[in-house]
Amino acid sequence: MFFQIAINLGLVLVGVAAIVYMLIRRQFTYWERKGVPYIKLESYLGTYADVINKKKSVPEMLKELFGKLKGERFGGVWEILSPRLFLVDPDVLRDIMVKNFDSWTSRGMTFNPEVDPLSQHVAMLDGKMWKGVRTKLTPTFTSARLKHMHYLLLECAKDLEKYLDSLAQKNEPIEAREVSAKFTTDVIGSCVFGIQMNSLSDEDAAFRKMGRKITDSSSFWSRFTLLVQASSPWLFKKLKLSLTSPDVEEFFLRITREAFEYREKNNVQRHDFIDLLRNLKNTDQKLGEDDVVFDDKLLTAQAYVFFGAGFETSSTTIGYALHELAVHQDIQERLRKELREMQAANKGEITWDGLQGMKYLDKVFQETLRKYPVIPQIERVSVKPYQLPGTNVVLPAGSKCLIPIYAFHHNPEFFPDPEKFDPERFTEEAKAERRPYTFIPFGGGPRNCIGSRFAEQQSKIGIVKVLDKFKLSLCDKSQNPLRYKLGARFLYPERGVWIKVTHLGANDK
Ligand code: HEM
């Protein structure tokens, strides 16, 4: 009897193991069966095994895969066991992101709004809800509105100058990314929440602490939740996991509520994002089919993503720009000269219009985003079956497509000598000659970065404010060329961006 049970149990286990093995093997032959060229799998951890094992950084891996698929328009890869279509041809990218956007509207991100209200923001939402929220938020970022906020950014820039002044006096190198993160935290705090964050004057400022917490995914729990979210959305929903820690949630709900109440009570208007979000709530909403009703939690979630998506992307970009300016003294001097001309024409001020007119600054900014796209890859998920253009291959709804931004920006066919920092790649003529959809630091199509203009504004102000009073150079701690952090999803420098800042001498001014 006992033996019979043991044998039956053994047979069941072998059967289950055989089915699991066959399902896994079937996943491995997915692209072959579809007739799509693919990169042969060498590990059960998928094509990205070396990234997971921390042997390679994400940008290294993207370049390598792009190279292996040279000559193809796209190819099949796997993230662990999940197949991904890796795009190589910018025309296919345009088809998916722009022309056939209706088939690829999703980012495929799962969340549980009932336990995680701050995750119901525009970057995570899908379908009608995404469309409704995005449509309502888009006018928030028009040039006219950003111009209204320019004075708030200049206020924060003054604090940046004071802070750098104190560091320059100590004659110690600065970690440019951390200094910039304090600046962009203050900017977003002021423009989005209407609060003075004091990150530049107070090492323990609450917002800077929250910022570190949001971007730090090194704890066991956050790794676990992210892994379950990516690998098994079903289980993520079933376990009702949250991507936001309770103290972060409490903090953002409280400060947004307080900001709303304060303005209501004191009838304050600052023309900042919180005024605009309040208007979304207060306007008499005549609801169309795609409209959403903004309650306090939905509004706070949008303010929260402006903070989360906005401060570190911009501060990292400023950090990389300052590094290149420290490496290339000629570019630094040319940019400072342009700044002086702009100031001379504007009574010494950094005006909104003056900043828009700084053509060389724009080239330096674009080239920084080209060489260092902070978000090196993005994804789209299909919401209906999709026939790949020029083929008979039909991908089912729910297929994932990977857009390797970094590999596009570092492909010598699109950008010769890609490791060279050369702002002249962004002259009007060079831009007109370049193949479309090869430069995509802010993504593309209707789901592109909603905050790109604000990012540009705060990054440019940060850069010129540093150049206005300080000379940048490399120091013993600088890493040049910079290498990237292993295991990071974003383009973060391996050892920080260390730079020496000194007060300008009479000859430099
Ligand atoms: C240099 C700075 C920045 C870079 C490089 C950057 C890059 C990106 C990229 C690549 C995407 C994905 C686009 C796509 O899938 O096509 C994105 C989305 C997004 N970004 Fe940015 N971003 C920056 C700054 C900002 C700022 C300052 C804000 C807000 C204040 C912001 C808010 C968002 C939001 C909300 C989305 C999701 C949009 C949607 O799904 O509809 N970003 N960003």
Side-chain angles (χ1 to χ4, degrees):
M1 177 72 175
F2 172 77
F3 283 117
Q4 192 57 45
I5 292 174
I7 288 169
N8 286 347
L9 202 63
L11 285 175
V12 170
L13 283 178
V14 170
V16 169
I19 291 171
V20 171
Y21 178 75
M22 269 157 50
L23 286 176
I24 291 176
R25 293 305 307 172
R26 203 172 149 70
Q27 281 296 80
F28 279 14
T29 56
Y30 182 84
W31 291 118
E32 195 178 343
R33 283 182 285 118
K34 283 271 169 226
V36 168
Y38 61 94
I39 295 180
K40 210 164 166 269
L41 259 182
E42 281 161 16
S43 157
Y44 281 87
L45 288 177
T47 320
Y48 280 60
D50 282 351
V51 169
I52 298 171
N53 292 329
K54 295 197 177 176
K55 286 187 188 157
K56 283 186 185 139
S57 64
V58 169
E60 267 177 291
M61 179 53 104
L62 294 175
K63 252 176 93 171
E64 187 181 308
L65 298 180
F66 204 83
K68 283 187 181 167
L69 288 168
K70 198 170 177 205
E72 304 289 354
R73 297 163 64 215
F74 41 75
V77 299
W78 287 261
E79 257 195 65
I80 311 202
L81 290 178
S82 167
R84 301 273 196 279
L85 187 77
F86 187 97
L87 299 194
V88 179
D89 183 336
D91 291 348
V92 182
L93 186 147
R94 181 210 48 213
D95 286 344
I96 286 185
M97 289 177 109
V98 187
K99 258 173 91 179
N100 302 320
F101 174 72
D102 277 2
S103 303
W104 295 91
T105 52
S106 171
R107 272 207 193 93
M109 292 168 108
T110 314
F111 63 97
N112 295 306
E114 62 288 6
V115 292
D116 187 7
L118 293 194
S119 283
Q120 48 179 346
H121 54 66
V122 66
M124 299 272 274
L125 291 169
D126 271 334
K128 276 190 179 172
M129 186 80 172
W130 168 75
K131 197 165 175 216
V133 172
R134 172 99 192 195
T135 309
K136 285 265 161 60
L137 290 180
T138 299
T140 311
F141 292 93
T142 59
S143 292
R145 294 207 155 139
L146 295 182
K147 190 173 177 176
H148 266 126
M149 283 183 230
H150 187 68
Y151 77 101
L152 294 171
L153 277 81
L154 287 181
E155 276 172 17
C156 298
K158 262 193 211 150
D159 290 342
L160 172 65
E161 189 186 312
K162 261 196 243 156
Y163 184 61
L164 282 175
D165 192 41
S166 65
L167 294 177
Q169 278 175 18
K170 285 187 200 151
N171 206 14
E172 281 172 12
I174 63 158
E175 207 284 274
R177 204 173 140 240
E178 174 60 24
V179 173
S180 310
K182 287 176 191 275
F183 166 63
T184 53
T185 300
D186 281 2
V187 168
I188 300 209
S190 174
C191 295
V192 178
F193 296 95
I195 302 173
Q196 282 210 330
M197 300 299 167
N198 300 326
S199 308
L200 285 158
S201 52
D202 174 7
E203 283 299 326
D204 293 322
F207 248 80
R208 185 69 198 105
K209 276 191 186 162
M210 285 297 150
R212 287 196 192 104
K213 221 168 180 167
I214 293 171
T215 50
D216 178 17
S217 53
S218 60
S219 76
F220 170 77
W221 187 247
S222 59
R223 273 169 185 265
F224 173 73
T225 43
L226 286 172
L227 185 75
V228 179
Q229 185 210 27
S231 57
S232 176
W234 172 84
L235 189 62
F236 187 82
K237 284 251 167 217
K238 208 75 205 148
L239 295 176
K240 293 208 181 315
L241 295 176
S242 168
L243 298 166
T244 322
S245 66
D247 51 342
V248 170
E249 183 182 310
E250 189 280 323
F251 179 81
F252 281 96
L253 285 171
R254 179 171 51 76
I255 58 160
T256 315
R257 192 183 56 242
E258 285 171 3
F260 282 158
E261 282 171 3
Y262 178 80
R263 290 188 185 201
E264 214 73 62
K265 218 165 144 190
N266 300 289
N267 205 10
V268 176
Q269 282 247 332
R270 280 173 96 223
H271 305 290
D272 53 9
F273 288 118
I274 206 112
D275 273 353
L276 302 165
L277 291 176
R278 249 178 79 219
N279 289 344
L280 287 182
K281 189 182 162 197
N282 293 341
T283 41
D284 206 7
Q285 297 180 32
K286 287 200 184 71
L287 295 179
E289 207 198 324
D290 286 339
D291 273 344
V292 281
V293 180
F294 278 95
D295 61 15
D296 281 353
K297 285 188 175 168
L298 191 60
L299 283 175
T300 307
Q302 313 319 314
Y304 174 68
V305 75
F306 290 171
F307 177 64
F311 90 90
E312 205 172 43
T313 42
S314 298
S315 63
T316 306
T317 304
I318 299 175
Y320 285 132
L322 298 182
H323 170 81
E324 291 293 344
L325 293 172
V327 175
H328 302 283
Q329 293 294 317
D330 52 335
I331 299 179
Q332 187 182 147
E333 274 159 34
R334 187 166 162 198
L335 187 51
R336 193 173 293 110
K337 185 165 174 280
E338 186 186 52
L339 173 64
R340 295 291 175 248
E341 285 163 9
M342 187 276 281
Q343 287 169 318
N346 291 288
K347 299 184 184 142
E349 300 296 319
I350 298 173
T351 60
W352 164 269
D353 291 323
L355 204 66
Q356 304 301 311
M358 290 183 65
K359 300 278 176 250
Y360 194 61
L361 173 63
D362 193 57
K363 288 192 216 164
V364 169
F365 177 65
Q366 305 288 341
E367 175 63 350
T368 306
L369 289 171
R370 198 278 308 165
K371 189 169 173 190
Y372 305 102
V374 189
I375 302 185
Q377 61 171 359
I378 51 178
E379 280 202 354
R380 289 286 185 276
V381 176
S382 62
V383 290
K384 39 179 134 153
Y386 182 74
Q387 180 164 3
L388 287 170
T391 71
N392 294 326
V393 179
V394 178
L395 299 177
S399 296
K400 292 175 177 163
C401 156
L402 211 153
I403 297 143
I405 299 179
Y406 183 91
F408 277 90
H409 290 191
H410 285 255
N411 179 354
E413 280 174 34
F414 308 144
F415 297 98
D417 198 2
E419 297 315 313
K420 181 176 174 199
F421 185 83
D422 180 9
E424 296 313 310
R425 298 180 201 273
F426 289 90
T427 60
E428 291 307 319
E429 305 76 60
K431 282 194 283 187
E433 273 171 26
R434 196 150 38 240
R435 219 172 138 183
Y437 297 96
T438 49
F439 176 63
I440 45 165
F442 293 111
R447 209 149 190 180
N448 68 351
C449 173
I450 198 172
S452 59
R453 287 198 206 166
F454 184 64
E456 182 176 330
Q457 187 186 7
Q458 64 173 338
S459 305
K460 286 183 174 175
I461 291 185
I463 295 167
V464 295
K465 204 63 196 174
V466 176
L467 286 195
D468 191 20
K469 294 274 156 50
F470 306 96
K471 186 177 165 71
L472 309 174
S473 46
L474 294 182
C475 59
D476 292 346
K477 273 181 131 174
S478 310
Q479 189 183 45
N480 185 37
L482 290 165
R483 292 183 54 80
Y484 304 110
K485 202 169 180 170
L486 297 176
R489 281 180 305 147
F490 298 136
L491 203 73
Y492 292 155
E494 183 183 40
R495 288 202 263 123
V497 180
W498 289 96
I499 293 175
K500 190 172 170 203
V501 283
T502 40
H503 287 106
L504 287 174
N507 292 341
D508 306 307
K509 288 182 180 169

